[in-house]
Amino acid sequence: MSNLQNPPALNSISPFGFWDGAVGALSRELSPQQFKTWIQPLVLLSFDEGDRLLTIGAPNRFKLDWIKKTFAERFQEMAADYFGGPINVHFALAVEGAAPTKPNGADEVSNPPVSVEVQTNTTPSVSIEEQSFEIEDHSKLNPNLTFETFVTGKANQLARAASIQVAHNCGIATMDPPKI
């Protein structure tokens, strides 16, 4: 018997009851640091009874991706046990300070106000000619870290010089083979 099932005295299934049970179960399964880092920042955003859709919010993109990868199956399993059937568990980015999305039939929200970040495909007002020359940067490189901003010290002079040579001569061997 799962520890997330409703007690026999309760006749209605509450998404907040699920959330409290799921958080409690994960607090027992994980170390205190893991729980505090990954589960405690999550919030229950909404529950749509008709679509059987439960939405859980994470405070930032990194935690959202990690939760999806690491805990999605566990949340899915706990939701199916609690609600007595398949439930679609969706994870979204939660933004604090906006009006909360209440689950159906809920009168109070015990979590801080949140809303789901909606990504829209709005195109900036740039002409087609300008758009064709735009290059999207998909790298995760920090643009502030350049050779110009690098602080050179005695310990890293050789590494800096080698890095500059590699950057300026990408793919070209600069060393002559040893002469015998």
Side-chain angles (χ1 to χ4, degrees):
M1 179 176 180
S2 171
N3 55 2
L4 289 177
Q5 292 179 348
N6 282 325
L10 295 178
N11 293 330
S12 66
I13 295 176
S14 162
F16 289 116
F18 160 74
W19 187 246
D20 291 341
V23 168
L26 288 170
S27 72
R28 290 184 296 277
E29 294 173 14
L30 302 173
S31 72
Q33 184 172 355
Q34 287 176 319
F35 177 78
K36 184 178 180 181
T37 302
W38 301 112
I39 306 303
Q40 194 171 359
L42 301 179
V43 293
L44 177 63
L45 292 177
S46 66
F47 177 68
D48 185 350
E49 231 174 299
D51 292 339
R52 297 187 61 82
L53 175 67
L54 182 73
T55 305
I56 298 171
N60 58 50
R61 179 70 55 195
F62 178 75
K63 287 190 183 197
L64 177 68
D65 293 341
W66 181 260
I67 292 296
K68 282 181 181 179
K69 185 173 85 171
T70 310
F71 295 106
E73 287 182 27
R74 183 67 179 121
F75 274 109
Q76 191 75 43
E77 176 186 305
M78 289 187 293
D81 286 348
Y82 182 84
F83 291 103
I87 292 286
N88 297 317
V89 178
H90 176 72
F91 296 90
L93 196 57
V95 181
E96 288 192 33
T101 306
K102 291 185 183 179
N104 290 346
D107 293 333
E108 295 181 23
V109 176
S110 60
N111 292 326
V114 294
S115 69
V116 178
E117 177 184 274
V118 179
Q119 296 179 350
T120 58
N121 294 335
T122 57
T123 308
S125 58
V126 177
S127 70
I128 294 174
E129 296 156 5
E130 290 174 325
Q131 283 182 352
S132 63
F133 293 108
E134 284 185 19
I135 297 174
E136 288 188 37
D137 184 19
H138 294 290
S139 70
K140 301 218 186 255
L141 298 177
N142 185 341
N144 297 325
L145 301 178
T146 63
F147 289 119
E148 290 77 26
T149 62
F150 186 79
V151 177
T152 306
K154 214 171 194 186
N156 62 10
Q157 286 175 341
L158 181 61
R160 181 180 186 273
S163 299
I164 290 172
Q165 287 300 314
V166 169
H168 290 295
N169 301 309
C170 187
I172 300 171
T174 59
M175 294 178 53
D176 294 327
K179 294 181 184 176
I180 300 178

